[in-house]
Amino acid sequence: MPVPPAPWLPPLPARVSGADLPAPPDADGDGGTDAGTGALPWGLLDLPAEQARGRAAWDLERGEHLLVVGTVRSGRSTLLRALALAGLARGADVLVLDGGGALAGLAGLPGTGAVVARHEPWRAARVLQRLLERLDGPPGVPAPPVLLLVDGWEAWSPVLAGTEVGDGAGGGTGAEALLRLLREGSAAGVRVAVAGDRPLLTSPLAASAAEVVLLRLADRADAALAGMPVSLVPRAAVPGRGLLVRDGTAHEVQVVLPAQGGPAADRPPARLRVAPLPPRSRAVTPVPGGPGPALLLGHGGDDGGPVLADPAAGPVLVHGPPGSGRSSLLRALAQQRPDALPVGAGHDAGALAARLREVPRPLVLLDGTPPPGSALEDVLLAALDAGAHLVASAGGAEVAGAFRGLGARLRAARVLVLLGRGPLVPAEVLGRRPLPAPGPGPGAGFVVVDGAWTAVRVVAPTVTG
């Protein structure tokens, strides 16, 4: 006797690769691929009512966002990695806030604009700021979508809540910026997927997501927070097994294991990039930017490139506490410009005045400010009035409260270099609270030019010998 067909399909397999996924509905019979960037496959669906298997995919063309909820090692990072690789292959830019390091391997792939670790709060805020600028910018030619993937909401939530976006100038917190991206980002091509544990279901983000993936939970009853009865939650504890919830209905799903490798090498680079601050910066000869008076302050910015300043445009103030790297920066600048005049706070005023008379429009590198009303201060002020160029380093107390003399001139400098020596960079010279340092260790800070902030790792002197 022939064996009758089974009334249901076998259980979902514990391991699913991309080759196991059925063809998308609009594919040809030969098993074509998804059209454009519209759908990013990430799992295998069980459709018992249709006696079939389906393809779980994040449809970017709908402009909707995604929540992935599960405990540690439930498969949530694997799902985000699958989305990232699929998006990169289809031309989308990918930005990642990586709370646990599981997505660090995406850094450096063509099209990845940033993979930000939890200990980089300023860089995370900068990523959110760049995305908000995309929302607030004038409408133009539609650009490929940008995917923002947040892994580890329980780790990022306190970090973003305590980090201001917009260089501390009243731009709101990182948590508020992320919520705005969920609410308004679709119109600007920004798609957000957030992965986390149970608190994600009770967070303000939950109301802005059209789809929720419930992976393994510490308590199956927590599925009620997503409107699902516990009876629907799979009892299988295999990583990647869960429910896809949309519009009050749920289907069992198994997350696909992403293929090794990445997008094609000729894929265009990310249009929106926020590079990490380099661990060190050394002087190069000649200084980037061609001939002229420009000084190489360091490397940084969104592209990690050289950060320059022209002392001919006005004094440059290097501001920070002792041990922040401000004196090292002046030594590095002296190596760039052998004709510069290094001056200390205790320099002989008469000798300096005589030297200044010999050199037209000299570059003075002042390490520490002289006492107000001193002969040295008078010489320096006269030199500035005569057209001398000045780069000065000072601490907060030396210039933050100055209202006359050299301190007041430096306080109004067009170019400020703010440095710190710990997790915060003092900014009292601008009347602001300290900001999170853009990188670890001395030498990490910001260059502020006409109110525009650029993260920088200041250049270090070359050790000879």
Side-chain angles (χ1 to χ4, degrees):
M1 285 183 63
V3 178
W8 52 76
L9 295 175
L12 289 173
R15 295 176 64 87
V16 174
S17 68
D20 299 322
L21 300 182
D26 58 345
D28 298 327
D30 58 0
T33 58
D34 298 308
T37 59
L40 307 183
W42 59 264
L44 181 64
L45 280 173
D46 188 20
L47 305 173
E50 304 172 23
Q51 286 289 288
R53 295 280 159 79
R55 182 185 184 94
W58 189 20
D59 191 346
L60 303 184
E61 293 181 355
R62 288 181 175 177
E64 297 171 339
H65 309 297
L66 177 69
L67 296 188
V68 183
V69 183
T71 61
V72 176
R73 303 187 68 83
S74 62
R76 63 194 195 192
S77 298
T78 301
L79 195 159
L80 291 187
R81 180 175 175 81
L83 293 176
L85 293 176
L88 291 172
R90 288 161 173 77
D93 287 352
V94 173
L95 300 164
V96 180
L97 303 187
D98 186 11
L103 302 180
L106 295 173
L109 294 180
T112 299
V115 177
V116 184
R118 187 175 55 179
H119 65 267
E120 300 176 291
W122 185 88
R123 190 171 169 227
R126 179 60 182 161
V127 166
L128 296 174
Q129 182 181 359
R130 292 290 305 277
L131 291 173
L132 291 180
E133 291 170 357
R134 177 166 170 147
L135 265 64
D136 297 331
V141 179
V146 176
L147 309 184
L148 175 62
L149 309 179
V150 183
D151 192 21
W153 171 247
E154 59 278 6
W156 278 111
S157 177
V159 173
L160 296 180
T163 303
E164 292 187 353
V165 174
D167 311 315
T173 67
E176 293 168 342
L178 180 59
L179 187 58
R180 186 185 169 200
L181 289 172
L182 283 161
R183 291 172 175 169
E184 305 175 23
S186 296
V190 178
R191 309 290 185 262
V192 184
V194 184
D197 211 332
R198 179 188 184 277
L200 184 55
L201 290 172
T202 58
S203 73
L205 310 184
S208 301
E211 292 184 338
V212 178
V213 181
L214 294 177
L215 299 174
R216 185 178 68 246
L217 301 168
D219 184 351
R220 294 171 64 241
D222 289 338
L225 297 174
M228 291 294 106
V230 68
S231 59
L232 293 181
V233 179
R235 294 184 177 274
V238 296
R241 185 64 54 85
L243 291 176
L244 172 59
V245 181
R246 181 182 178 88
D247 297 331
T249 62
H251 295 288
E252 192 167 344
V253 66
Q254 179 66 37
V255 175
V256 69
L257 294 174
Q260 298 297 318
D266 59 352
R267 187 219 187 271
R271 303 159 191 82
L272 195 161
R273 182 169 178 255
V274 180
L277 204 65
R280 63 188 60 84
S281 175
R282 296 291 183 185
V284 293
T285 303
V287 172
L295 297 172
L296 175 66
L297 298 178
H299 291 81
D302 290 342
D303 60 357
V307 180
L308 307 177
D310 182 2
V316 177
L317 172 62
V318 183
H319 177 270
S324 60
R326 66 189 196 198
S327 297
S328 295
L329 173 59
L330 261 62
R331 291 196 298 272
L333 297 181
Q335 292 178 345
Q336 294 180 37
R337 291 282 298 273
D339 60 333
L341 302 179
V343 177
H347 203 94
D348 181 81
L352 178 60
R355 185 74 179 95
L356 289 171
R357 286 193 292 268
E358 299 172 358
V359 182
R361 297 184 180 276
L363 172 62
V364 178
L365 303 177
L366 176 62
D367 194 0
T369 56
S374 65
L376 181 58
E377 183 186 59
D378 292 340
V379 169
L380 290 168
L381 287 172
L384 283 175
D385 293 337
H389 306 157
L390 176 65
V391 179
S393 76
E398 298 175 66
V399 296
F403 295 97
R404 62 184 179 86
L406 183 61
R409 294 279 289 271
L410 293 175
R411 188 179 176 193
R414 177 173 172 266
V415 179
L416 296 175
V417 182
L418 304 179
L419 300 176
R421 61 182 180 187
L424 297 175
V425 175
E428 67 268 25
V429 70
L430 293 175
R432 296 187 181 177
R433 293 177 293 176
L435 281 78
F446 303 95
V447 174
V448 186
V449 181
D450 295 333
W453 293 62
T454 301
V456 68
R457 173 75 67 182
V458 295
V459 67
T462 301
V463 178
T464 59

